[in-house]
């Protein structure tokens, strides 16, 4: 398997950002770490090994990116608006720096064919993947979110501002009427999965809320509730990601 490490300066963040790429060709997949996780977490937690058959066959190429959770959603010393301002800078890094690079390299690696991205993550990574998917649907055609929350309530409680609202799908999706966005969601593959076991209560609640909103908007989605023995942990996410990626890639 081809693996490459990258460290590049982000003009939006004013600092270097790191990521790794796994594979040589195939469907581009962008994955986010869990809370306070790093770009190497996906590999360290077994997910790359789990998906290795797709990667080595040239069906899947994965970009595992870094987060800035300690400066944003999980900061203990910045106020809410400073935290969200920093997250908006991270948002611009992902949307205007990392993703264009993914699309450019993916096109080169796949014989000049343009592809949209499969975006995914577990726990906090599921929040990120859903948030970017709904905010920038023109970049993506597939979402696989595992055990996530889909609002900012978990991080900010009832606090709401313009920037918080833009990063809280469960707040803005109910009022969204722009058919340009809604039709892009409707033409995409949306998979949201959560367990019903230990440490999944908050994620279970918000998954049900997201299912309700998507249904009201006529947005097709696969919402799966795994068993009461399925906990909020990597062994289950490994099983889930293989199952769903296999279904998406065929």
């Amino acid at each position: 398997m081809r693996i490459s490490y990258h460290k590049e300066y982000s003009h939006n963040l004013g600092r270097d950002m790191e990521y790794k790429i796994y594979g040589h060709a195939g469907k581009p997949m962008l994955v986010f770490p869990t809370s306070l996780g790093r770009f190497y977490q996906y590999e360290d937690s077994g997910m790359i090994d789990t998906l290795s058959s797709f990667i080595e066959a040239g069906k899947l190429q994965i970009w595992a990116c870094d987060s800035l959770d300690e400066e944003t959603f999980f900061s203990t010393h910045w106020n809410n608006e400073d935290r969200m301002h920093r997250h908006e800078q991270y948002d611009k890094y992902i949307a205007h720096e990392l993703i264009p690079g993914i699309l450019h390299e993916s096109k080169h690696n796949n014989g000049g064919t343009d592809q949209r991205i499969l975006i995914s993550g577990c726990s906090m990574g599921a929040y990120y993947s859903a948030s970017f998917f709904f905010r920038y649907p023109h970049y993506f055609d597939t979402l696989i979110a595992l055990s996530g929350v889909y609002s900012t309530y978990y991080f900010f409680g009832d606090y709401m501002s313009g920037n918080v609202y833009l990063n809280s799908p469960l707040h803005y999706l109910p009022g969204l009427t722009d058919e340009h966005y809604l039709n892009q969601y409707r033409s995409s593959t949306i998979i949201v999965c959560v367990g019903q076991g230990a440490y999944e209560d908050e994620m279970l609640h918000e998954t049900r809320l997201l299912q309700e909103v998507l249904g009201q908007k006529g947005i097709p989605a696969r919402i799966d509730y795994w068993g009461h023995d399925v906990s909020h942990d990597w062994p289950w996410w490994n099983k889930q990601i293989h199952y769903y990626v296999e279904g998406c890639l065929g």
Side-chain angles (χ1 to χ4, degrees):
M1 182 192 301
R2 182 189 299 173
I3 302 175
S4 58
Y5 162 79
H6 303 262
K7 184 176 184 178
E8 299 172 351
Y9 182 78
S10 165
H11 292 281
N12 284 292
L13 291 170
R15 54 164 285 181
D16 289 329
M17 292 295 288
E18 298 170 275
Y19 61 94
K20 293 183 80 171
I21 306 175
Y22 304 86
H24 61 280
K27 181 73 174 174
M29 179 177 180
L30 172 60
V31 298
F32 292 84
T34 64
S35 55
L36 302 171
R38 298 295 310 281
F39 66 96
Y40 46 76
Q41 183 194 55
Y42 211 70
E43 179 180 353
D44 289 354
S45 300
M47 301 291 264
I48 297 300
D49 284 344
T50 292
L51 298 173
S52 61
S53 61
F54 307 112
I55 299 170
E56 292 169 353
K59 294 183 177 181
L60 188 69
Q61 189 173 20
I62 297 178
W63 278 255
C65 69
D66 237 339
S67 71
L68 286 183
D69 288 345
E70 71 281 358
E71 299 178 28
T72 58
F73 291 103
F74 292 92
S75 171
T76 59
H77 59 278
W78 287 8
N79 65 42
N80 287 341
E81 279 308 304
D82 287 341
R83 291 159 66 194
M84 284 311 304
H85 175 70
R86 188 58 168 163
H87 174 72
E88 282 295 296
Q89 293 176 327
Y90 177 71
D91 177 279
K92 290 180 174 60
Y93 158 69
I94 295 292
H96 302 310
E97 296 182 49
L98 183 61
I99 287 176
I102 292 173
L103 294 173
H104 176 78
E105 181 162 344
S106 175
K107 183 175 182 177
H108 173 77
N109 293 341
N110 290 285
T113 300
D114 286 310
Q115 296 193 71
R116 291 192 180 187
I117 298 169
L118 187 167
I119 190 167
S120 185
C122 311
S123 191
M124 186 67 185
Y127 162 79
Y128 279 127
S129 62
S131 183
F132 281 105
F133 173 85
F134 288 118
R135 192 166 180 180
Y136 301 105
H138 54 286
Y139 286 137
F140 312 108
D141 63 8
T142 307
L143 166 67
I144 304 177
L146 307 177
S147 298
V149 295
Y150 305 106
S151 77
T152 53
Y153 181 80
Y154 185 80
F155 316 108
F156 295 99
D158 293 325
Y159 179 80
M160 185 58 62
S161 68
N163 280 339
V164 174
Y165 180 82
L166 288 174
N167 290 281
S168 190
L170 283 177
H171 282 98
Y172 66 74
L173 284 175
L176 183 64
T177 58
D178 189 331
E179 291 295 322
H180 175 71
Y181 278 85
L182 294 172
N183 286 332
Q184 289 183 86
Y185 304 153
R186 291 168 183 149
S187 64
S188 297
T189 298
I190 298 174
I191 300 169
V192 180
C193 173
V194 67
Q196 300 179 74
Y199 310 111
E200 288 278 59
D201 290 351
E202 184 75 26
M203 296 73 188
L204 186 60
H205 173 67
E206 296 220 340
T207 297
R208 288 176 176 143
L209 293 177
L210 182 61
Q211 180 178 22
E212 181 179 349
V213 171
L214 295 178
Q216 291 170 349
K217 294 294 179 181
I219 300 169
R222 177 173 182 172
I223 313 293
D224 284 353
Y225 299 90
W226 286 38
H228 292 278
D229 60 332
V230 179
S231 60
H232 192 86
D233 205 357
W234 288 104
W236 285 108
W237 296 331
N238 271 269
K239 294 178 182 179
Q240 291 163 357
I241 198 62
H242 187 279
Y243 175 72
Y244 292 120
V245 167
E246 183 176 44
C248 290
L249 297 182

